[in-house]
Amino acid sequence: MQNPHTTDVEFCQSFADDLSARPPILIDFPNMKLVYLTLSLLWLAQLPAHAEIRALKVAVERGADGATKISIKSDVASENRTKTTTADAAEVLKNAAGWGSTVDVTIETNGEPLSDYLPLLSAIASNTWLSLSYVGQLPKPPQDPPEAQPYKERVRHRAANDPLSEENLLEAAKTDDRARHLLADLWARNILSAKTRERILGQHVQFTLVEQFPYDPKAFPTARELKIIATTDFPFPESAWVEYSGTIALGDQQLQLPVDAFDNSRSLHRCNTRYFASLGTSSAGEPTARGVIQMREVRRDGVHTETVWSIKRFTNEIKLQKR
């Protein structure tokens, strides 16, 4: 305790002299390095094994009753919404979390006023996981006017009894690899009919729903990822480009393709074992899951877009592992 008869300067000088008279405090730096290393490892153990990008697609529209309706398409099943209230959608955005990285968010306003979706912007701004990449009205692909000429193929059809007719080649391709390569060559040369191209997908591509566990089960015991995997024995050429869309539903969720279907495109070349849709979820228990894929080929002439063929395929139904 400071003597009431000493000044502050005298007290500080006395305190400094007292400290200098004590033996110095030695710090064992090797031991401190070990402490720092241990703390760093404990911190890293709480992080996911790897970061993965995911996205949220938000659509604003006016309901039949005049109220604002919000739809959310997410890789996390519990975040998906169809024509819900603005308050519910804002709550979803406030609580959304990334898979080790930021979550990309787009908002399609469909011409609705700012006041209708302002709470969504506020929710995004308050969530450090979310990154808003687009707000506005997405352009719709142009469609052919009624007076436009329909799509006509320049394909010379062979007689039904010709062994090289498309019908006979398709039948042979079920078991003969040579027929499959011949069909692929005709596809690459753009002399294979659209109907045959569609039938090749139905005959030679299978979509399977699988369950994977990309994260440490001790740190994230219920985290899992569902993927729709394509398997095929057909040697698709690089020119076999398709537009596609897919979705996965858990339990009693409705299996419905999103409104903005065909928002992806890729070549089917070497598509074997590649995935065409995925869903990350932390659902506990052992619910069932199923999926659907829709593909199409389109023709564009710079102004018009016309669907040449389109197919929809449902996957197998699986029962998730108990977690």
Side-chain angles (χ1 to χ4, degrees), residues 121-278:
L121 299 178
S122 300
I124 294 171
S126 66
N127 189 338
T128 56
W129 279 109
L130 305 186
S131 174
L132 184 62
S133 63
Y134 179 84
V135 179
Q137 186 163 356
L138 298 175
K140 301 297 181 182
Q143 300 296 322
D144 285 335
E147 64 275 8
Q149 291 295 323
Y151 175 71
K152 293 183 179 180
E153 296 183 288
R154 298 178 179 178
V155 177
R156 182 173 64 88
H157 295 281
R158 294 176 177 267
N161 59 354
D162 188 332
L164 294 181
S165 68
E166 293 184 0
E167 186 69 32
N168 290 329
L169 286 174
L170 270 173
E171 184 63 29
K174 294 178 180 179
T175 56
D176 194 333
D177 187 56
R178 295 170 300 175
R180 292 194 286 269
H181 278 84
L182 180 53
L183 286 170
D185 184 65
L186 295 175
W187 192 325
R189 295 172 185 269
N190 199 28
I191 53 176
L192 194 65
S193 69
K195 186 62 177 178
T196 299
R197 296 197 298 270
E198 176 185 353
R199 291 178 62 186
I200 286 174
L201 262 75
Q203 181 172 296
H204 293 280
V205 182
Q206 182 178 0
F207 295 101
T208 306
L209 183 62
V210 299
E211 179 183 16
Q212 298 177 348
F213 301 94
Y215 304 109
D216 181 1
K218 293 183 179 179
F220 303 93
T222 61
R224 63 188 91 200
E225 187 170 9
L226 304 176
K227 289 184 177 181
I228 298 180
I229 306 291
T231 54
T232 182
D233 59 356
F234 192 85
F236 288 99
E238 293 184 4
S239 59
W241 275 85
V242 296
E243 295 183 348
Y244 67 94
S245 181
T247 190
I248 300 171
L250 293 176
D252 57 357
Q253 292 179 348
Q254 186 177 5
L255 187 61
Q256 185 176 2
L257 288 167
V259 176
D260 55 344
F262 305 114
D263 53 355
N264 301 288
S265 63
R266 68 160 49 166
S267 171
L268 295 175
H269 181 59
R270 296 179 180 176
C271 72
N272 194 34
T273 71
R274 293 187 181 181
Y275 77 92
F276 282 77
S278 66

Side-chain angles (χ1 to χ4, degrees), residues 53-69:
I53 297 175
R54 73 181 190 92
L56 288 167
K57 293 185 178 180
V58 183
V60 183
E61 60 182 304
R62 183 75 56 184
D65 57 355
T68 302
K69 302 295 182 183

